[in-house]
Amino acid sequence: MAARGEPTAKPARDREPTAKPARDRALTGGVLVGAFALTAVAALSGCSSSGGADGSNGGSGTGVRTGSVSAAPPGKYQTLPEPCGSVSQDTLHDLLPGASDYSGDSALTYDTDRIVGCKWSGVLSGQERHLRVTLERVVSYDPTVSDEDKAEQDYEQKASAAHIPDAIPSDSASTPASTSASTSASTSASTSASAPAPSDSPSTRPGSSPSGAAGPSASSSAPGADDPDTAPRRVGGIGDEAYLDDIVTTEDSDVRREVTIVFRESNVLVTVVFSQGSTDKTQTPASGPLQLGADDVAHELAKKIEEAE
């Protein structure tokens, strides 16, 4: 029996070689899994460390674009002054002596953080006068263009549309109506039937020509008779840059003169329109008083904007 039992034990030894490959496979599989895990960790570490200190990412390119584009600074002014209260009562009484209400009518706008306006009306020597102001805070939606640069671009577009020359005349550095002030005064004195009361005269600032403001006659004897320089031009001393446009229009039996001053104060654009109409086409409203009046209002608005900073 013992002799016969020995052959039965031999297969057990014969089976040992079959068990060894199973263990080897288990060990080999564990090594491979560990190797793959280390490789994955190394790859992830490499991806995360590929971003530079500036936040760039070579894989997608998004970080590179973000790091290379610097946002333009915001505008200097983030608010606008209340328009109807930005022009002094003294100035309004001087420019619109026959007005029934000096509180003004606010312009209808849908974003008062961006644009506001006001208008007033009065009567001088039987002729209607109108004053209108508009203030716009310019905002650039291009991250590479600042609000101030965008405001400068918009200002130049307005100047180009009004056919304003590039050069600033040397004789317009103080007040728009300072040119030919003495001629305007002498002509106004000879053509006006009676001198208006002092309260009807536009206010003057230090340095402005008294003679240019002393004769706010309602009209002249002939178109352009007592006008100062009425050519469209750039003017100095108002905001960062400014221009003046003086236009006479005729409709049916009416003639109207409209003086417009547009100026830029950093990222804010301001438009001042001062006009006067006459039902007698031979009596064109004088330019000098309208130019000086618009200039006074523009200076007051520039000061109000600076106070709103």
Side-chain angles (χ1 to χ4, degrees):
M1 294 295 292
R4 287 195 296 271
E6 290 179 0
T8 62
K10 287 180 181 180
R13 289 194 300 269
D14 293 341
R15 287 195 298 270
E16 290 179 1
T18 62
K20 289 179 180 179
R23 289 194 302 270
D24 293 343
R25 285 196 299 272
L27 293 173
T28 303
V31 172
L32 290 175
V33 170
F36 285 138
L38 292 174
T39 302
V41 171
L44 291 174
S45 300
C47 291
S48 63
S49 62
S50 63
D54 59 351
S56 61
N57 189 318
S60 64
T62 303
V64 174
R65 290 192 297 270
T66 302
S68 61
V69 176
S70 58
K76 179 179 180 181
Y77 300 104
Q78 297 300 309
T79 60
L80 293 171
E82 197 284 312
C84 293
S86 296
V87 183
S88 70
Q89 290 293 306
D90 288 342
T91 298
L92 291 174
H93 279 79
D94 286 342
L95 302 183
L96 308 167
S100 58
D101 183 11
Y102 291 100
S103 60
D105 296 324
S106 297
L108 178 61
T109 62
Y110 297 98
D111 189 353
T112 54
D113 288 335
R114 291 285 308 279
I115 184 169
V116 294
C118 191
K119 61 181 179 179
W120 301 263
S121 298
V123 178
L124 177 66
S125 301
Q127 297 183 358
E128 288 189 355
R129 276 187 169 185
H130 300 277
L131 174 65
R132 184 176 73 252
V133 300
T134 305
L135 298 86
E136 177 185 1
R137 183 174 63 87
V138 178
V139 176
S140 172
Y141 294 101
D142 185 342
T144 64
V145 179
S146 68
D147 295 344
E148 184 170 354
D149 289 341
K150 181 64 168 62
E152 185 175 0
Q153 294 173 7
D154 292 352
Y155 169 84
E156 287 300 333
Q157 289 179 356
K158 290 178 178 289
S160 177
H163 306 289
I164 307 299
D166 292 335
I168 299 179
S170 58
D171 57 1
S172 65
S174 55
T175 58
S178 60
T179 308
S180 304
S182 59
T183 302
S184 174
S186 60
T187 308
S188 176
S190 62
T191 57
S192 300
S194 61
S199 60
D200 293 347
S201 303
S203 59
T204 58
R205 295 181 311 281
S208 63
S209 173
S211 60
S217 57
S219 60
S220 60
S221 58
D226 67 340
D227 290 351
D229 185 5
T230 60
R233 61 193 184 276
R234 298 177 187 261
V235 295
I238 309 175
D240 295 317
E241 52 188 342
Y243 71 79
L244 179 147
D245 198 13
D246 190 329
I247 299 176
V248 175
T249 57
T250 302
E251 295 182 2
D252 298 330
S253 60
D254 299 335
V255 59
R256 174 170 295 276
R257 181 181 293 279
E258 184 175 274
V259 172
T260 301
I261 291 181
V262 177
F263 72 89
R264 179 181 67 84
E265 181 72 36
S266 188
N267 62 310
V268 176
L269 293 180
V270 180
T271 302
V272 178
V273 180
F274 190 28
S275 64
Q276 180 174 322
S278 172
T279 55
D280 186 351
K281 295 178 66 173
T282 65
Q283 299 292 312
T284 304
S287 177
L290 295 178
Q291 287 195 20
L292 285 172
D295 183 66
D296 285 340
V297 173
H299 276 84
E300 288 191 15
L301 292 175
K303 184 177 180 180
K304 284 291 184 179
I305 293 171
E306 292 175 355
E307 294 174 353
E309 183 182 1

